[in-house]
Amino acid sequence: MPETEGKEEAQIRGSIKKKSLPDAETFSQGILSGDIVLLSRAITLVESTLPSHQELAEAILEKCLPHSGKSIRVGITGIPGVGKSTFIESFGNHLIEQGRKIAVLAVDPTSQLSKGSILGDKTRMEILSRKKEAFIRPSPSGDSLGGVARKTRETIFLCEAAGFDTILVETVGVGQSETAVNSMVDIFLLLLIAGAGDELQGIKRGIMEMADLIAITKADGENTARANRAKAETISAVHFLPSHESGIKTEVRTCSAVTGEGISEIWTEILNFIQAIKDKGYLDKKRKEQAKHWLHESVQSMLLDDFFSKLGNDFHRAEELVTQGLAGSYQTARKLVKYYKNEGQQI
């Protein structure tokens, strides 16, 4: 059975504490030379909340950042049961056959009750995980928006510096996480299953609008005819969606992770899309907008952390007043912010 995130993370961080940590220069040189052990340890530092780990992680990122940005970043999502991990294993093996080095950043769901996360992607991608050209990193989503690990973007940079030329970011499902993933990848792939005409009812319109490429999975055997019908229905649905900012039409394809049928065509579509947005100057523009977006996100996150850290029990008292109906939410929030800025009285 896969371990929960809490137990696994504690073990990893415990091992980091027991070993003397290399300095940022040693880490960065190791990562640039393709040292997977140092890459994994650096990612753990990036994900850590310990101030000393964060400081070292920032120094490592600063040294690795000039060597990043040369990969193709692919976001992959899909409804439950669509077979994302099975698709990624088949797709990843195909890319390796094409001479690519791939990193799979699989963001697993974290329970809001137990805060545990079943890190099962390495188990599900058994063949791919044994390939030296592949690096699979399951990450707990924590409390970040829609289940996207807070530090996934920094992890992408480290993997790129380590020589991985294709980054696959797998999301937990169809929800708010897709917006966050879309803000860190070059192309967004939506996986659907046969019978997608009915399934489209359960998919948020915004996710369909974000998709740069759609693939109908499990198109094999008796399911082939249903997959082709689903493709036609999806093409019809896409026709009524607004055009992408890139100006490139969303293509729809069918594939089977079991037989491999259609897998190479999906990779060809991805390469065609990347080349097209490069030619239009849209890829450079998109990555600059993404960098700006994550600057804003980082500032907000740091301010919130500092806000709750400084207010502590004062915030809990304010919560009680609001929940008991003794104070209004908006007015209390204003007072808290003033108090945080040293411009007001304690609540």
Side-chain angles (χ1 to χ4, degrees):
M1 286 288 291
E3 297 180 337
T4 62
E5 180 275 327
K7 184 177 179 182
E8 181 167 304
E9 188 179 70
Q11 290 175 339
I12 293 173
R13 290 181 183 169
S15 67
I16 285 181
K17 288 179 183 178
K18 289 176 185 176
K19 300 174 185 176
S20 58
L21 283 169
D23 58 19
E25 181 66 25
T26 302
F27 260 114
S28 61
Q29 289 302 317
I31 291 169
L32 292 174
S33 66
D35 188 322
I36 297 303
V37 174
L38 282 179
L39 171 62
S40 298
R41 293 182 73 189
I43 293 172
T44 301
L45 289 172
V46 165
E47 294 174 346
S48 174
T49 56
L50 294 177
S52 59
H53 288 177
Q54 290 179 344
E55 185 178 346
L56 179 55
E58 288 171 9
I60 296 168
L61 281 163
E62 186 176 349
K63 292 180 179 294
C64 288
L65 200 57
H67 305 278
S68 67
K70 298 175 184 177
S71 77
I72 294 176
R73 305 167 183 172
V74 183
I76 301 176
T77 190
I79 58 178
V82 78
K84 290 190 294 292
S85 296
T86 306
F87 169 83
I88 290 173
E89 175 157 59
S90 177
F91 186 59
N93 282 316
H94 173 73
L95 296 187
I96 289 172
E97 289 172 3
Q98 303 301 305
R100 312 285 298 190
K101 287 187 66 179
I102 67 167
V104 181
L105 309 182
V107 183
D108 282 331
T110 296
S111 166
Q112 291 304 302
L113 297 177
S114 66
K115 303 301 180 185
S117 174
I118 303 301
L119 303 178
D121 284 282
K122 277 196 174 182
T123 304
R124 295 192 294 271
M125 302 177 194
E126 186 178 355
I127 297 174
L128 185 62
S129 64
R130 294 200 297 262
K131 301 285 182 69
K132 68 179 187 302
E133 300 89 351
F135 175 71
I136 301 176
R137 178 73 181 199
S139 297
S141 59
D143 293 325
S144 57
L145 175 63
V148 178
R150 243 175 103 180
K151 303 298 183 180
T152 301
R153 182 170 163 83
E154 285 86 353
T155 301
I156 289 174
F157 295 150
L158 292 176
C159 289
E160 290 176 335
F164 293 97
D165 53 35
T166 311
I167 313 293
L168 308 180
V169 184
E170 177 194 3
T171 74
V172 299
V174 175
Q176 288 180 311
S177 62
E178 278 57 42
T179 302
V181 169
N182 193 40
S183 66
M184 64 178 79
V185 298
D186 304 323
I187 179 169
F188 193 61
L189 171 61
L190 172 63
L191 303 180
L192 298 175
I193 52 177
D198 296 329
E199 298 295 342
L200 291 176
Q201 300 296 326
I203 298 175
K204 292 183 179 179
R205 178 185 173 93
I207 295 170
M208 291 289 291
E209 292 176 353
M210 280 190 289
D212 299 302
L213 176 62
I214 298 175
I216 312 296
T217 64
K218 304 183 181 181
D220 50 58
E222 296 179 355
N223 211 39
T224 303
R226 286 193 293 270
N228 288 329
R229 285 197 299 271
K231 175 182 176 181
E233 292 165 355
T234 306
I235 290 173
S236 177
V238 168
H239 178 72
F240 293 100
L241 296 176
S243 300
H244 278 281
E245 185 183 355
S246 64
I248 299 173
K249 175 187 172 185
T250 300
E251 297 291 341
V252 182
R253 292 288 179 266
T254 59
C255 68
S256 168
V258 175
T259 66
E261 188 74 25
I263 296 296
S264 64
E265 286 78 7
I266 289 173
W267 177 236
T268 299
E269 289 291 350
I270 289 173
L271 292 177
N272 290 341
F273 179 87
I274 295 298
Q275 189 58 53
I277 60 175
K278 277 184 179 178
D279 293 342
K280 287 172 172 279
Y282 181 72
L283 178 59
D284 183 57
K285 176 187 175 184
K286 184 174 184 178
R287 287 196 172 184
K288 286 179 179 177
E289 287 296 322
Q290 288 175 342
K292 186 164 65 173
H293 168 81
W294 285 101
L295 170 63
H296 292 183
E297 286 289 322
S298 298
V299 169
Q300 290 179 34
S301 176
M302 290 177 186
L303 284 174
L304 278 175
D305 287 345
D306 189 57
F307 178 85
F308 290 120
S309 175
K310 285 186 176 179
L311 265 64
N313 289 332
D314 291 320
F315 183 79
H316 295 308
R317 282 196 293 270
E319 279 185 319
E320 289 180 9
L321 290 173
V322 171
T323 55
Q324 292 172 11
L326 300 175
S329 299
Y330 182 76
Q331 293 80 2
T332 303
R334 287 192 60 169
K335 290 179 182 178
L336 286 170
V337 171
K338 281 189 174 183
Y339 178 51
Y340 170 72
K341 293 165 63 179
N342 295 318
E343 295 175 358
Q345 299 296 317
Q346 182 176 348
I347 301 297

